[in-house]
Amino acid sequence: MTARSRAPFYVFVFLLIAAGISIATWRHLELGIPWMTGEQRPVWMIEARVDFDALDDAAEVSLHIPEQPPGFRILTEQAASPGYGFSILESPRSRRAEWTKREVSGPQTLYFKAQFVPDEDVTEQTPVRTPRPQAVFWEEPQATAVRELLDQAMERSSSPESMTRELIRLMQPDTRTQNTTLLVSEDNYLQLMVRMLNHAGIAARTADALKLEDARRRQQLVPFLQIYNGERWLTFDPRTGEQGVPESLLLWRQGSESLLDVLGGDNSQVSFSMLRQTVPALQLATLEANQNGLGVLGFYQLPIEEQSMFRMLLLLPLGALIVAFMRIVIGIRTSGTFMPVLIAVAFVQTTLVPGLIAFLSVVAIGLVLRGYLSSLNLLLVSRISALIILVIFITAGLSIIGYQMGFNTGMTVTFFPMVIIAWTIERMSILWEEEGAREVLVQGSGSLFVAICAYLVMSLPLAGHLTLNFPELHLVILGLILLMGQYTGYKLSELRRFTPMKAYD
């Protein structure tokens, strides 16, 4: 094969490897499937508690709930409200959790729970309609004071964001002037800021947020200021002027929608409790994939029994790669091409030592019985058929003996390939007759060595994790095997033939 004719082959192999790595990377980035085992992800459990006194009549309770708070993804939502009907109402302006009941009396408590996953990629949604500043009217002398404060802030700013920060600074107690003192009180501070910004032509609104602290109970929402800069809503701390949403802040309500509405009750209030949890990253990714319909791209939609089967089958290409490397590059001779892979699969199920003892025992006894069958001068088909039956009896007998001695060897019997072992015994017997016991020992020990190497790789938790959750990586394994198939150089085990040449150096 010329170098030119090999070019399409190498391009094909490169595309295989690139496709495998690219799809696996996409699965990691988009679905959140971790590369390593044991990775944990933080999850915030937020519980909203609604208390009110019912008025011996029908009750309807409506609580504003977040839709997509910046920096977080909603994982699960549920309500704990015995005897109440519950639903989540979606509208273009807000999402609300609604409880209803025909007859209610006395103190009532309702719960709404949601799990939030921190995600830096979740940002503020762009409004469908461009927000417009609301018209605000002032009476004297407030009108003059507002105009002077806005003129001061405008002179020291160049954008809606900088003007907002400057206005917040002017409204602080240590920088207040006579005009500020005339306008500001403790009760109207935030609403005054919103009105002044709207008056200045900047769309502004309030937002309520939760400061996330682990294991906190009966927390209240903290008010924040938001302005529209022409592209998106920006959040400001009205007490410090700090811009942005910190990682420890969850925006629960944004806009003018009411937080809690209660019909058929009074003395209503809502409080929040929070708990920081950690969950396995793989479990979280699987749950999210099932929710957004991407679960069909993995094996977790299948029944547990089929998942277990695929978990084992997907390890076979990894064993095939080890065998190909050992035979083609290292040059280890084995009994059969991929017999070591099947032995390694059995070792994965039985663990190494019990499986090794069972395999050696079956092959040793089988060789003795094969010698007797050879003396009967049977035809090949009859001899192999009889040998398969004898192998089954041998493994069954070993299983019974092992059970009586307290060893669980049943798995060994199940996973050792009976037909392949019978053929192996047949080939070893013929090899013994033609090449001698030494060759049998070389190929037998080579098979066991390669099988043990494949077992050590296949039994790694990382190997099982990657092959099951990133099955496209098998394209990379396929590409590597194809590349090794083009290798025609010396095997490492053959280099010892050149040792005598060192005497001439």
Side-chain angles (χ1 to χ4, degrees):
M1 182 180 292
T2 63
R4 183 178 178 182
S5 62
R6 288 190 179 185
F9 168 78
Y10 289 122
V11 171
F12 173 70
V13 170
F14 172 78
L15 292 177
L16 275 180
I17 296 176
I21 296 176
S22 300
I23 297 175
T25 304
W26 174 86
R27 192 186 293 269
H28 169 71
L29 296 177
E30 293 297 325
L31 303 185
I33 299 177
W35 291 117
M36 307 298 292
T37 60
E39 289 189 20
Q40 300 287 320
R41 292 282 302 277
V43 174
W44 284 96
M45 171 68 78
I46 308 296
E47 179 185 81
R49 171 174 172 166
V50 178
D51 294 290
F52 69 97
D53 295 326
L55 301 178
D56 298 330
D57 200 354
E60 180 178 314
V61 180
S62 177
L63 174 68
H64 179 92
I65 56 178
E67 180 178 5
Q68 184 176 303
F72 293 89
R73 283 182 290 107
I74 299 176
L75 182 62
T76 61
E77 294 177 318
Q78 60 181 353
S81 48
Y84 280 81
F86 176 78
S87 59
I88 294 180
L89 305 181
E90 305 274 356
S91 71
R93 300 183 61 183
S94 66
R95 296 176 73 239
R96 303 193 72 86
E98 184 178 271
W99 293 266
T100 55
K101 193 173 183 180
R102 179 69 64 180
E103 295 182 2
V104 190
S105 62
Q108 302 291 310
T109 301
L110 306 175
Y111 294 94
F112 175 81
K113 297 180 181 180
Q115 286 182 309
F116 295 88
V117 182
D119 189 346
E120 297 178 355
D121 296 331
V122 179
T123 58
E124 179 70 35
Q125 291 181 330
T126 304
V128 179
R129 295 182 178 179
T130 302
R132 300 295 181 186
Q134 298 179 358
V136 181
F137 300 95
W138 305 87
E139 295 182 356
E140 294 293 349
Q142 286 84 2
T144 302
V146 167
R147 184 168 55 253
E148 292 182 1
L149 281 172
L150 291 178
D151 289 342
Q152 269 187 285
M154 191 171 296
E155 290 177 0
R156 303 175 184 178
S157 62
S158 60
S159 64
E161 299 95 306
S162 59
M163 182 171 178
T164 302
R165 290 192 295 267
E166 191 62 30
L167 187 59
I168 292 175
R169 189 187 67 81
L170 291 173
M171 302 284 281
Q172 296 305 307
D174 56 346
T175 59
R176 287 180 185 175
T177 62
Q178 184 176 358
N179 289 329
T180 310
T181 306
L182 175 66
L183 295 170
V184 178
S185 68
E186 292 299 329
D187 297 333
N188 74 342
Y189 172 72
L190 186 56
Q191 289 300 327
L192 177 64
M193 290 284 299
V194 172
R195 295 184 66 200
M196 291 178 67
L197 288 168
N198 277 282
H199 186 72
I202 301 174
R205 68 184 185 183
T206 60
D208 292 326
L210 278 173
K211 291 188 175 180
L212 300 178
E213 298 180 37
D214 190 20
R216 296 301 297 264
R217 303 175 61 233
R218 298 298 182 95
Q219 299 298 296
Q220 300 298 320
L221 295 174
V222 180
F224 280 78
L225 174 67
Q226 288 187 326
I227 67 164
Y228 188 72
N229 70 344
E231 298 179 356
R232 63 184 185 277
W233 287 101
L234 303 177
T235 304
F236 291 84
D237 189 331
R239 292 156 290 276
T240 64
E242 182 180 354
Q243 180 182 339
V245 181
E247 295 181 357
S248 60
L249 201 69
L250 188 147
L251 293 178
W252 187 271
R253 184 187 67 87
Q254 304 179 72
S256 58
E257 290 290 319
S258 62
L259 175 63
L260 178 65
D261 295 327
V262 177
L263 299 178
D266 55 15
N267 299 326
S268 60
Q269 61 178 354
V270 58
S271 60
F272 297 86
S273 301
M274 59 199 71
L275 185 66
R276 188 181 187 274
Q277 304 171 322
T278 55
V279 298
L282 179 59
Q283 177 185 343
L284 182 60
T286 304
L287 179 59
E288 292 178 341
N290 292 335
Q291 289 180 348
N292 57 29
L294 295 177
V296 295
L297 300 178
F299 293 98
Y300 291 99
Q301 294 273 350
L302 299 176
I304 298 297
E305 182 177 358
E306 295 187 20
Q307 288 186 37
S308 301
M309 178 188 68
F310 276 106
R311 185 182 295 272
M312 181 56 57
L313 289 178
L314 292 172
L315 288 173
L316 289 177
L318 199 57
L321 176 65
I322 300 299
V323 173
F325 177 78
M326 290 293 184
R327 286 178 60 93
I328 297 174
V329 179
I330 304 299
I332 297 178
R333 288 183 289 175
T334 61
S335 177
T337 305
F338 287 102
M339 178 65 184
V341 179
L342 299 176
I343 298 175
V345 171
F347 287 168
V348 170
Q349 295 293 330
T350 64
T351 69
L352 182 59
V353 175
L356 192 59
I357 294 174
F359 176 77
L360 293 175
S361 301
V362 171
V363 172
I365 298 175
L367 285 173
V368 173
L369 295 177
R370 165 59 176 79
Y372 172 72
L373 293 176
S374 180
S375 64
L376 298 178
N377 295 323
L378 299 176
L379 296 176
L380 176 62
V381 175
S382 298
R383 188 167 66 242
I384 293 297
S385 301
L387 195 57
I388 291 174
I389 297 174
L390 291 175
V391 167
I392 293 175
F393 276 109
I394 294 169
T395 52
L398 290 175
S399 179
I400 294 173
I401 295 173
Y403 179 78
Q404 296 295 331
M405 297 176 62
F407 299 102
N408 184 17
T409 58
M411 276 292 191
T412 306
V413 177
T414 303
F415 284 95
F416 272 129
M418 303 299 175
V419 177
I420 302 299
I421 288 183
W423 270 108
T424 300
I425 294 173
E426 175 68 18
R427 290 186 59 184
M428 285 187 174
S429 298
I430 296 175
L431 191 63
W432 191 309
E433 295 172 356
E434 295 179 352
E435 302 291 339
R438 182 180 180 278
E439 189 64 23
V440 173
L441 183 62
V442 169
Q443 292 192 16
S445 59
S447 297
L448 282 181
F449 175 76
V450 175
I452 291 173
C453 292
Y455 159 78
L456 293 176
V457 175
M458 295 166 65
S459 61
L460 290 174
L462 181 61
H465 171 77
L466 292 178
T467 54
L468 182 65
N469 296 289
F470 299 96
E472 55 277 354
L473 290 179
H474 288 88
L475 296 177
V476 179
I477 296 177
L478 175 60
L480 294 176
I481 291 177
L482 292 177
L483 285 177
M484 283 190 289
Q486 292 288 312
Y487 180 72
T488 56
Y490 285 108
K491 298 177 175 61
L492 294 181
S493 60
E494 296 175 339
L495 296 180
R496 67 176 185 273
R497 295 187 301 170
F498 299 95
T499 302
M501 297 181 64
K502 291 181 180 180
Y504 298 99
D505 291 345

